[in-house]
Amino acid sequence: SRFLSTQFNSFSDWLHSRRHCDKDWQKNVIVIREKISDAVQDMPEDERIVALLQGSYINYFHCVRIVEILKETEINTKNFLGYYSSQRMSDWMNIKKMYEKGNVYLAEGAQILQRMVHYEIPALKKQISKNDQIILDCIKKERDNEKQMIDSKKQYEKELLKMGLKGIHLKKEILSLLNDLPAFLIEVAKSMSILADPLAYYEQFRKYIHQYKAPDCVLLPLCSMLIRKGPNVTAYEWKYGAEPLLIELPSLDIVPDENTESSVDNEIDFGDDSVNADNEINYRDDDLKIEVIEDEKGVVSDGVARDLDALTILENPETRRLIYFELKEVILFEDFFFPLTRSLFIPAYA
């Protein structure tokens, strides 16, 4: 192995010592490269030539292959003496002869072979090893994902069982749970009644700390409103300080009814019934009264609770979050002043 490696490393020197090629062969290669650069500017449209010239260093063996292809594409330029009148063929034949003169192609081939053995082939081996490792990692990751998929499915089925769902029509089943929500919120509101005394004590404590000079504001306003008015108080009332004249609850009908069929009558109603004989449109607004409500801060509202404002303060995400923080405030107050006697129980919900 060492003998072959040594002979290979000195292959170029061996060619020079045996006078197979000149030592200044690289000067001739520079001239040949210039000829090749000019010749590739005029090439026939052939897929084989395009494949040869695409992204590769053109050497003697490429030139031999190009000449063979040109013998087929330039056959019409061949005369009865066997010579070609095509400039393309003439250029590449001259390049081939320049390579063969002084065995320049042997020296260049030895250099290419030596570079491939020393650099390109080891790099390819390294890349192959890296790709093999990537394949093994992908196989391992695939197994882990399959295991995670099985665990996730078991967890999903466990959650369905916990929520009492079958998982067949998941959206409908989840929406059906909303039927139990009002009763749950009523129970939560009832449990809030035990906070009446702690809230009163908290208020008196604040007044005492500030020597009865504290700013006139309501502590824990949402909890106080919930205790005072019950679970049906809306976020609109908390926001504007007045009960809404009309409540427009947001639609929860997000699952289409499969049994609903489109109406056969596709006629367009242009509202002709509202047009009088005098060509005056009756908007039926004679009995319409508009009442504008303004809260204490000067914010004007039309008195209609819409979207999230139409929900109760226990249903509205923003107010529910604030209630949670108010309850945490009460717990911290109690834990700070009564660390040994904790008698207050607050249901944990968010």
Side-chain angles (χ1 to χ4, degrees):
S1 174
R2 183 178 179 183
F3 174 75
L4 292 176
S5 176
T6 303
Q7 291 297 320
F8 181 78
N9 291 334
S10 60
F11 185 51
S12 297
D13 297 335
W14 182 85
L15 290 174
H16 299 155
S17 63
R18 298 301 188 275
R19 299 183 183 277
H20 291 291
C21 58
D22 299 331
K23 291 185 178 181
D24 58 348
W25 62 271
Q26 292 183 350
K27 295 181 180 180
N28 298 327
V29 170
I30 295 175
V31 178
I32 295 174
R33 303 310 307 174
E34 293 177 355
K35 295 289 184 180
I36 292 176
S37 299
D38 295 336
V40 295
Q41 303 300 324
D42 182 23
M43 298 296 292
E45 295 181 359
D46 190 278
E47 295 181 356
R48 295 170 294 177
I49 293 180
V50 173
L52 286 173
L53 300 179
Q54 202 168 29
S56 62
Y57 178 84
I58 301 176
N59 52 45
Y60 169 76
F61 304 100
H62 291 95
C63 296
V64 173
R65 179 58 180 158
I66 290 173
V67 170
E68 293 177 355
I69 296 173
L70 289 177
K71 287 180 180 180
E72 299 177 7
T73 59
E74 306 296 321
I75 191 172
N76 295 329
T77 63
K78 187 177 181 180
N79 56 29
F80 67 96
L81 296 176
Y83 296 100
Y84 292 88
S85 60
S86 171
Q87 184 63 35
R88 297 171 181 169
M89 178 63 78
S90 177
D91 292 341
W92 286 102
M93 288 293 292
N94 290 334
I95 293 172
K96 181 174 176 292
K97 290 178 181 179
M98 292 175 67
Y99 261 122
E100 294 173 349
K101 184 179 180 181
N103 293 327
V104 175
Y105 74 96
L106 287 178
E108 186 186 47
Q111 187 183 57
I112 294 174
L113 184 61
Q114 188 173 2
R115 184 172 62 248
M116 290 180 63
V117 172
H118 280 289
Y119 301 104
E120 296 183 10
I121 293 178
L124 290 175
K125 288 183 177 180
K126 186 177 180 180
Q127 186 65 35
I128 291 173
S129 300
K130 184 178 179 180
N131 292 339
D132 291 339
Q133 185 62 39
I134 292 175
I135 292 174
L136 294 177
D137 294 340
C138 291
I139 293 174
K140 182 180 178 182
K141 190 173 182 179
E142 181 182 6
R143 293 174 181 173
D144 295 340
N145 290 338
E146 290 177 354
K147 182 179 179 181
Q148 185 177 2
M149 180 181 65
I150 296 174
D151 295 340
S152 299
K153 185 178 180 181
K154 291 181 179 179
Q155 184 66 24
Y156 172 73
E157 294 174 351
K158 183 178 179 181
E159 291 296 328
L160 288 179
L161 183 62
K162 181 179 178 181
M163 298 176 66
L165 303 177
K166 296 181 180 179
I168 300 175
H169 301 289
L170 190 58
K171 288 185 178 180
K172 291 183 178 180
E173 294 175 11
I174 291 177
L175 288 177
S176 65
L177 296 178
L178 293 176
N179 298 329
D180 302 331
L181 184 60
F184 173 75
L185 296 180
I186 291 174
E187 292 297 327
V188 172
K190 289 181 179 179
S191 64
M192 295 285 288
S193 61
I194 63 176
L195 291 176
D197 293 338
L199 287 179
Y201 180 79
Y202 190 16
E203 178 68 25
Q204 294 298 324
F205 177 81
R206 188 192 66 158
K207 291 181 180 179
Y208 174 77
I209 292 296
H210 292 279
Q211 298 296 321
Y212 296 92
K213 296 180 181 179
D216 187 12
C217 63
V218 180
L219 287 176
L220 311 179
L222 284 170
C223 290
S224 300
M225 179 178 289
L226 191 61
I227 294 172
R228 186 173 66 256
K229 294 192 174 184
N232 294 326
V233 58
T234 61
Y236 177 94
E237 184 174 351
W238 171 77
K239 186 175 181 179
Y240 296 103
E243 295 184 3
L245 300 177
L246 180 64
I247 297 177
E248 296 180 357
L249 293 174
S251 176
L252 296 177
D253 188 15
I254 61 176
V255 180
D257 189 0
E258 298 177 355
N259 298 325
T260 303
E261 297 180 356
S262 59
S263 176
V264 179
D265 187 7
N266 293 325
E267 295 182 359
I268 301 176
D269 183 10
F270 293 97
D272 297 336
D273 297 337
S274 300
V275 180
N276 296 332
D278 298 333
N279 293 329
E280 294 183 359
I281 300 176
N282 180 16
Y283 293 100
R284 300 174 182 176
D285 56 353
D286 298 336
D287 299 332
L288 181 62
K289 295 181 180 180
I290 300 177
E291 181 178 357
V292 179
I293 298 177
E294 180 177 341
D295 63 0
E296 298 176 355
K297 299 180 181 179
V299 179
V300 178
S301 173
D302 58 357
V304 180
R306 301 182 179 89
D307 300 329
L308 295 180
D309 289 344
L311 301 177
T312 65
I313 59 176
L314 288 175
E315 295 172 341
N316 186 285
E318 180 182 359
T319 54
R320 185 172 66 245
R321 181 173 57 87
L322 295 176
I323 290 174
Y324 174 77
F325 288 128
E326 289 184 4
L327 295 176
K328 294 290 291 184
E329 182 179 348
V330 174
I331 292 176
L332 292 175
F333 172 76
E334 184 194 29
D335 289 344
F336 182 77
F337 289 97
F338 305 97
L340 299 179
T341 58
R342 182 173 183 176
S343 59
L344 180 61
F345 171 77
I346 299 177
Y349 76 101

